[in-house]
Amino acid sequence: MVAIGLAGGGLLREDDRAEPQLSPGAGFITIPELSWRRYETASDVVQVGQPVSCGFLRFDTPNGEARLSLRAMQPDPFRTFAESTAAGRMLRGRVTKLVPFGAFVQVAEDIEGLVHPQELFWTAVEAPEEMVRVDERITVIVTEIDTERRRPALSRRKALPRPRSEGVR
Protein backbone atom coordinates (compact mmCIF):
# COMPACT_ATOMS: atom_id res chain seq x y z
CA MET A 1 0.00 0.00 0.00
CA VAL A 2 1.26 3.50 -0.90
CA ALA A 3 0.51 6.42 1.41
CA ILE A 4 -0.28 9.99 0.38
CA GLY A 5 2.94 12.03 0.39
CA LEU A 6 5.24 9.13 -0.48
CA ALA A 7 8.23 10.46 -2.42
CA GLY A 8 8.94 8.98 -5.80
CA GLY A 9 11.19 9.78 -8.73
CA GLY A 10 11.42 9.31 -12.43
CA LEU A 11 12.41 10.84 -15.72
CA LEU A 12 10.31 13.54 -17.33
CA ARG A 13 8.91 12.90 -20.81
CA GLU A 14 6.39 14.66 -23.05
CA ASP A 15 3.09 13.28 -24.20
CA ASP A 16 0.20 14.47 -26.34
CA ARG A 17 -1.49 16.09 -23.30
CA ALA A 18 1.26 18.73 -23.13
CA GLU A 19 1.74 17.98 -19.44
CA PRO A 20 4.82 16.37 -17.93
CA GLN A 21 4.68 12.69 -17.21
CA LEU A 22 7.06 10.30 -15.48
CA SER A 23 8.45 7.20 -17.13
CA PRO A 24 8.72 4.29 -16.93
CA GLY A 25 5.19 3.71 -15.83
CA ALA A 26 2.29 6.06 -15.73
CA GLY A 27 3.02 8.74 -13.17
CA PHE A 28 1.37 12.03 -14.05
CA ILE A 29 2.00 15.59 -12.81
CA THR A 30 -0.76 18.08 -13.58
CA ILE A 31 0.20 21.68 -14.35
CA PRO A 32 -0.92 23.08 -10.94
CA GLU A 33 1.24 20.50 -9.13
CA LEU A 34 4.49 21.56 -10.82
CA SER A 35 5.36 24.50 -8.56
CA TRP A 36 4.10 26.96 -5.94
CA ARG A 37 5.54 29.76 -8.08
CA ARG A 38 3.85 31.36 -11.05
CA TYR A 39 5.15 30.27 -14.43
CA GLU A 40 4.14 30.54 -18.08
CA THR A 41 4.85 27.01 -19.32
CA ALA A 42 5.85 23.67 -17.81
CA SER A 43 9.32 24.08 -19.35
CA ASP A 44 9.86 27.08 -17.04
CA VAL A 45 9.85 24.56 -14.16
CA VAL A 46 11.18 21.30 -15.59
CA GLN A 47 12.87 20.07 -18.76
CA VAL A 48 12.30 16.91 -20.78
CA GLY A 49 14.74 14.26 -19.56
CA GLN A 50 15.25 15.95 -16.18
CA PRO A 51 15.24 13.56 -13.19
CA VAL A 52 12.60 14.65 -10.66
CA SER A 53 11.48 13.67 -7.15
CA CYS A 54 7.75 13.86 -6.57
CA GLY A 55 5.18 13.42 -3.87
CA PHE A 56 2.50 10.80 -4.47
CA LEU A 57 -1.03 12.26 -4.39
CA ARG A 58 -3.28 9.35 -5.36
CA PHE A 59 -3.70 6.51 -7.80
CA ASP A 60 -6.13 7.24 -10.64
CA THR A 61 -7.59 3.75 -11.12
CA PRO A 62 -9.67 4.39 -14.30
CA ASN A 63 -6.65 5.85 -16.11
CA GLY A 64 -4.08 3.58 -14.49
CA GLU A 65 -1.93 6.56 -13.53
CA ALA A 66 -0.26 7.67 -10.34
CA ARG A 67 -1.00 11.37 -9.69
CA LEU A 68 2.20 13.06 -8.52
CA SER A 69 3.29 16.50 -7.31
CA LEU A 70 6.58 18.35 -7.60
CA ARG A 71 5.37 21.16 -5.38
CA ALA A 72 4.61 18.71 -2.56
CA MET A 73 8.38 18.33 -2.23
CA GLN A 74 8.91 22.11 -1.79
CA PRO A 75 8.05 24.35 1.16
CA ASP A 76 4.79 26.25 0.67
CA PRO A 77 5.75 29.96 0.52
CA PHE A 78 2.25 31.09 1.51
CA ARG A 79 2.13 28.85 4.58
CA THR A 80 5.55 30.16 5.65
CA PHE A 81 4.34 33.76 5.15
CA ALA A 82 1.05 33.17 6.99
CA GLU A 83 2.80 31.54 9.95
CA SER A 84 5.26 34.42 10.34
CA THR A 85 3.00 37.40 9.55
CA ALA A 86 0.07 38.69 11.59
CA ALA A 87 -2.66 41.18 10.73
CA GLY A 88 -1.45 44.67 11.62
CA ARG A 89 2.12 44.05 10.47
CA MET A 90 3.71 46.79 8.36
CA LEU A 91 5.57 45.62 5.24
CA ARG A 92 7.38 47.20 2.29
CA GLY A 93 6.43 45.88 -1.11
CA ARG A 94 6.59 46.48 -4.84
CA VAL A 95 3.50 47.22 -6.93
CA THR A 96 3.38 44.47 -9.55
CA LYS A 97 0.09 45.11 -11.33
CA LEU A 98 -2.70 47.69 -11.48
CA VAL A 99 -6.27 46.57 -12.13
CA PRO A 100 -9.59 48.44 -11.88
CA PHE A 101 -10.24 46.87 -8.46
CA GLY A 102 -6.87 47.77 -6.93
CA ALA A 103 -3.12 47.27 -6.93
CA PHE A 104 -1.26 44.01 -6.44
CA VAL A 105 1.78 44.37 -4.19
CA GLN A 106 4.53 41.79 -3.75
CA VAL A 107 5.32 41.77 -0.02
CA ALA A 108 7.58 38.69 0.06
CA GLU A 109 9.07 36.30 -2.46
CA ASP A 110 6.15 34.61 -4.28
CA ILE A 111 3.59 36.46 -2.10
CA GLU A 112 1.32 39.15 -3.53
CA GLY A 113 -1.62 40.84 -1.89
CA LEU A 114 -4.31 43.20 -3.12
CA VAL A 115 -4.77 46.79 -2.02
CA HIS A 116 -8.34 47.79 -2.90
CA PRO A 117 -8.81 51.39 -4.19
CA GLN A 118 -10.45 52.49 -0.91
CA GLU A 119 -7.30 51.31 0.91
CA LEU A 120 -4.85 53.30 -1.25
CA PHE A 121 -5.43 56.70 0.34
CA TRP A 122 -7.58 58.48 2.93
CA THR A 123 -9.74 60.13 0.25
CA ALA A 124 -11.66 58.46 -2.59
CA VAL A 125 -9.57 57.07 -5.42
CA GLU A 126 -11.23 56.44 -8.79
CA ALA A 127 -8.40 54.41 -10.28
CA PRO A 128 -5.32 52.87 -8.63
CA GLU A 129 -2.97 54.62 -11.08
CA GLU A 130 -3.97 57.94 -9.45
CA MET A 131 -1.98 56.90 -6.35
CA VAL A 132 0.64 54.29 -7.31
CA ARG A 133 2.50 52.98 -10.34
CA VAL A 134 3.89 49.57 -11.31
CA ASP A 135 7.34 48.88 -9.78
CA GLU A 136 6.82 51.56 -7.10
CA ARG A 137 7.87 50.48 -3.61
CA ILE A 138 5.20 51.26 -1.02
CA THR A 139 4.52 50.58 2.64
CA VAL A 140 1.38 48.58 3.46
CA ILE A 141 -0.31 47.11 6.51
CA VAL A 142 -1.54 43.50 6.46
CA THR A 143 -5.25 43.71 7.32
CA GLU A 144 -6.07 40.02 6.93
CA ILE A 145 -4.47 36.75 5.88
CA ASP A 146 -7.02 34.63 4.06
CA THR A 147 -5.58 31.12 4.36
CA GLU A 148 -8.46 29.53 2.46
CA ARG A 149 -7.99 31.76 -0.60
CA ARG A 150 -4.23 31.91 0.00
CA ARG A 151 -3.74 35.66 -0.10
CA PRO A 152 -3.12 38.60 2.20
CA ALA A 153 -5.37 41.70 2.20
CA LEU A 154 -3.37 44.91 2.37
CA SER A 155 -3.91 48.59 3.12
CA ARG A 156 -1.67 51.47 2.08
CA ARG A 157 -4.05 53.99 3.68
CA LYS A 158 -3.49 52.58 7.17
CA ALA A 159 0.28 52.92 6.70
CA LEU A 160 -0.05 56.65 5.88
CA PRO A 161 -0.45 59.48 8.39
CA ARG A 162 -4.10 60.41 8.85
CA PRO A 163 -4.99 63.80 7.26
CA ARG A 164 -6.04 66.54 9.66
CA SER A 165 -9.08 67.74 7.70
CA GLU A 166 -12.49 66.82 9.10
CA GLY A 167 -14.86 64.59 7.23
CA VAL A 168 -12.11 62.33 5.96
CA ARG A 169 -12.61 58.70 6.89
Side-chain angles (χ1 to χ4, degrees), residues 41-164:
T41 66
S43 62
D44 292 341
V45 179
V46 290
Q47 303 300 311
V48 173
Q50 174 184 341
V52 294
S53 290
C54 303
F56 175 82
L57 299 177
R58 70 182 179 283
F59 189 74
D60 185 353
T61 305
N63 293 320
E65 297 174 332
R67 296 295 173 156
L68 305 171
S69 173
L70 278 178
R71 77 179 190 173
M73 304 301 288
Q74 306 161 357
D76 177 352
F78 183 80
R79 177 176 283 164
T80 302
F81 176 81
E83 289 172 354
S84 65
T85 307
R89 182 165 177 196
M90 185 179 291
L91 301 170
R92 292 277 296 160
R94 182 180 62 84
V95 177
T96 58
K97 186 177 183 180
L98 298 175
V99 292
F101 52 88
F104 285 94
V105 178
Q106 181 180 7
V107 292
E109 187 174 345
D110 299 320
I111 305 295
E112 285 185 338
L114 179 65
V115 181
H116 287 281
Q118 67 268 23
E119 292 297 328
L120 284 170
F121 198 66
W122 289 99
T123 56
V125 174
E126 293 292 319
E129 53 271 9
E130 293 175 22
M131 299 307 303
V132 294
R133 65 184 188 287
V134 172
D135 289 328
E136 181 179 353
R137 292 198 48 83
I138 64 173
T139 300
V140 294
I141 299 285
V142 176
T143 58
E144 177 187 4
I145 298 178
D146 185 340
T147 55
E148 190 171 307
R149 295 170 69 191
R150 300 180 54 81
R151 59 184 176 197
L154 307 171
S155 172
R156 178 176 180 251
R157 176 177 64 94
K158 291 179 180 174
L160 297 171
R162 187 178 196 103
R164 293 182 183 225

